[in-house]
């Protein structure tokens, strides 16, 4: 893999607005919920449902979805291992920028390799990175097959397809594991909200640098 280098003539520009100012404005601490799992596991459904719930409660958040990102920012990448790693690297950098703006980020990507998810954690910062495993089993994902991708992969029409012709490495110690084949969307969202709760600032709490 080619090493990426920063040009020597670049200088980091320091903002005049602090993270504490953004916390005070948005009433929240920034965090990235990194949802990983097989295609069809339910990641996007949960991500957008959680976003809707948080926004309805007055919290600024945004979903970075795998398919959506590949329509623009990462449209030049295929699904080879190298391209998958670059896909995750770019997304992690975007999530870091959004966290710097004070947002809660909900990332919905297969992100099949532990090494890549570890790199994303390093970019974003472990204090603002929560790994969620949407652990729905392959047979359940394949039975749903909402996009018809598993059928095409089995027929050899799609190469490097996670779970069929490419590996998936599940998280070893996720912050939360959810099996959508045995849980309703509402119950999953409630569990995810409990995970996010420590990052939300209530009216009776200090909003400028902690409680």
């Amino acid at each position: 893999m080619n090493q990426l280098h920063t040009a020597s003539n670049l200088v980091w520009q320091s903002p005049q607005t602090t993270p504490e100012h953004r916390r005070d404005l948005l009433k929240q601490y920034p965090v990235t919920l990194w949802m990983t799992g097989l295609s069809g596991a339910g990641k996007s459904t949960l991500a957008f449902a959680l976003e809707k719930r948080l926004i309805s409660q007055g919290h600024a958040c945004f979903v970075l979805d795998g398919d959506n990102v590949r329509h623009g920012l990462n449209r030049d990448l295929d699904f080879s291992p190298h391209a998958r790693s670059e896909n995750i690297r770019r997304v992690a950098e975007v999530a870091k920028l959004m966290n710097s703006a004070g947002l809660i980020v909900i990332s919905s990507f297969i992100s099949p390799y532990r090494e890549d998810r570890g790199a994303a954690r390093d970019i974003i910062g472990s204090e603002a990175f929560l790994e969620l495993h949407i652990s729905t089993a392959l047979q359940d994902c394949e039975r749903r097959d909402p996009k018809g991708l598993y059928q095409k992969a089995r027929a050899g029409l799609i190469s490097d397809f996670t779970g069929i012709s490419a590996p998936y490495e599940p998280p070893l110690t996720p912050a939360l594991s959810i099996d959508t084949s045995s849980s309703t969307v509402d119950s999953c969202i409630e569990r995810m909200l409990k995970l996010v709760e420590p990052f939300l600032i209530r009216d009776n709490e200090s909003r400028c640098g902690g409680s």
Side-chain angles (χ1 to χ4, degrees):
M1 182 182 298
N2 294 329
Q3 293 293 323
L4 298 176
H5 299 283
T6 301
S8 59
N9 61 334
L10 298 180
V11 177
W12 181 264
Q13 301 297 313
S14 299
Q16 297 182 24
T17 302
T18 67
E20 288 77 16
H21 291 142
R22 293 188 174 89
R23 292 170 192 165
D24 187 53
L25 174 67
L26 298 174
K27 305 180 185 179
Q28 63 192 32
Y29 293 86
V31 63
T32 293
L33 281 71
W34 193 280
M35 300 170 62
T36 174
L38 296 170
S39 177
K43 299 183 300 300
S44 295
T45 298
L46 294 181
F48 287 110
L50 179 61
E51 179 192 49
K52 182 178 180 180
R53 181 76 71 87
L54 285 170
I55 288 177
S56 73
Q57 295 178 358
H59 298 290
C61 61
F62 190 81
V63 172
L64 292 173
D65 180 77
D67 281 5
N68 291 357
V69 169
R70 283 184 178 273
H71 275 85
L73 175 66
N74 292 345
R75 66 187 304 172
D76 59 319
L77 300 177
D78 58 23
F79 292 90
S80 66
H82 171 76
R84 285 182 182 272
S85 295
E86 176 61 10
N87 181 48
I88 296 309
R89 187 195 69 80
R90 294 182 192 179
V91 170
E93 292 287 0
V94 172
K96 180 181 179 180
L97 289 172
M98 288 185 165
N99 282 167
S100 296
L103 301 181
I104 294 169
V105 177
I106 307 164
S107 170
S108 172
F109 289 79
I110 293 173
S111 46
Y113 302 118
R114 295 191 188 109
E115 182 178 359
D116 292 343
R117 297 194 301 270
R121 181 190 294 272
D122 290 342
I123 290 170
I124 294 166
S126 59
E127 74 286 350
F129 185 95
L130 296 174
E131 188 177 38
L132 281 66
H133 183 204
I134 311 307
S135 60
T136 311
L138 173 62
Q139 59 267 28
D140 293 313
C141 296
E142 191 166 0
R143 184 168 59 250
R144 294 173 181 173
D145 204 8
K147 304 172 187 176
L149 299 179
Y150 284 99
Q151 185 177 7
K152 292 180 181 178
R154 292 288 188 189
L157 301 177
I158 301 177
S159 60
D160 297 317
F161 190 82
T162 303
I164 304 299
S165 53
Y168 177 76
E169 300 170 355
L172 299 177
T173 56
L176 183 64
S177 182
I178 294 175
D179 183 350
T180 62
S181 66
S182 58
S183 303
T184 65
V185 171
D186 285 343
S187 66
C188 293
I189 296 304
E190 291 303 322
R191 293 179 65 193
M192 296 167 74
L193 284 171
K194 289 181 180 179
L195 193 65
V196 179
E197 181 70 24
F199 296 88
L200 308 180
I201 300 174
R202 302 308 180 187
D203 288 338
N204 60 348
E205 298 179 35
S206 169
R207 299 177 199 152
C208 206
S211 56

